[in-house]
Amino acid sequence: VNDRIVVKAIEPKDEEVWNKLWKEYQGFQKTVMPPEVATTTFARFIDPTVKLWGALAFDTETGDAIGFAHYLNHLTSWHVEEVVYMNDLYVTERARVKGVGRKLIEFVYSRADELGTPAVYWVTDHYNHRAQLLYTKVAYKTDKVL
Ligand code: ACO
Ligand code: ACO
């Protein structure tokens, strides 16, 4: 299954499929965002002057978009370089535990390398055990309180 998954930077033609996943993600996060958030966020992914990016995972056999990662970079007082923050990660329910989430994180890591940033970080709910089953394998946990 893993060979069937490709992760690509979001393109303008992806707006409809991204929107479908973005709505599912809001359901997972138990929130409903006003529609202008989706419109604005998607436009920012596409805008080359804005440092907010999106990546989509596709099943190459069906052509379906099955997950996304959103990330940005920002200044920090701790490094000369900027650091990357992964804002969102989502895999549609039927595609889970097949390595899609891992591939999305690896894509963000490789983009961070290209950007010359020394660190990628994210936050999750302490009770999100399913996500942490993956995170403990691809990252390390800090003692920080947000
Ligand atoms: N017992 C042991 N290990 C398990 C179990 C289990 N029951 N279930 C999964 N795992 C392991 C898998 O073996 C796998 O590890 P591996 O790569 O070594 O095989 C890992 O957990 C799951 O990895 P993936 O298959 O790559 O992850 P998946 O595609 O399922 O995506 C994700 C994970 C994104 C958390 C998905 O479950 C999801 O979208 N959940 C809802 C949204 C969510 O929680 N998003 C994260 C919010 S935090 C944030 O956005 C920064
Ligand atoms: N019991 C109960 N309350 C206490 C006690 C105590 N023993 N000691 C302090 N407090 C309360 C004070 O009453 C005060 O609350 P109040 O505003 O209601 O009166 C509060 O704790 C302390 O507030 P300030 O006096 O405004 O804080 P201070 O000037 O002491 O600065 C700081 C706090 C910055 C954490 C300082 O202790 C420090 O520099 N520590 C070392 C560096 C550090 O830990 N920095 C934070 C790292 S995290 C980050 O940078 C984002």
Side-chain angles (χ1 to χ4, degrees):
V1 173
N2 214 288
D3 298 339
R4 282 169 49 178
I5 303 158
V6 289
V7 176
K8 295 193 259 186
I10 277 183
E11 297 175 44
K13 65 173 168 54
D14 299 326
E15 186 156 13
E16 201 179 316
V17 293
W18 174 79
N19 252 306
K20 188 168 171 285
L21 293 172
W22 184 235
K23 286 204 181 93
E24 288 179 24
Y25 184 68
Q26 289 174 55
F28 170 79
Q29 296 286 5
K30 297 187 171 48
T31 184
V32 181
M33 297 178 197
E36 57 267 32
V37 174
T39 317
T40 305
T41 296
F42 194 84
R44 286 176 174 158
F45 293 152
I46 303 303
D47 184 341
T49 68
V50 179
K51 294 175 179 184
L52 176 70
W53 300 283
L56 276 175
F58 291 91
D59 180 336
T60 54
E61 206 131 292
T62 61
D64 292 342
I66 51 177
F68 61 65
H70 304 152
Y71 57 104
L72 54 101
N73 67 349
H74 64 81
L75 291 170
T76 167
S77 53
W78 278 45
H79 299 282
V80 174
E81 304 87 355
E82 297 184 341
V83 293
V84 168
Y85 174 65
M86 184 171 70
N87 211 148
D88 306 291
L89 180 73
Y90 182 73
V91 174
T92 197
E93 220 159 309
R94 66 184 161 72
R96 287 182 194 161
V97 202
K98 294 185 175 120
V100 182
R102 180 185 279 260
K103 279 214 167 176
L104 283 159
I105 291 173
E106 284 168 356
F107 182 89
V108 175
Y109 282 167
S110 68
R111 284 288 292 123
D113 286 342
E114 286 166 24
L115 291 162
T117 60
V120 176
Y121 75 103
W122 59 87
V123 298
T124 195
D125 294 308
H126 69 85
Y127 49 78
N128 192 344
H129 300 292
R130 181 163 53 184
Q132 289 174 75
L133 284 169
L134 171 61
Y135 297 164
T136 53
K137 295 178 184 175
V138 298
Y140 65 87
K141 192 174 174 180
T142 77
D143 293 329
K144 304 291 183 202
V145 174
L146 179 70

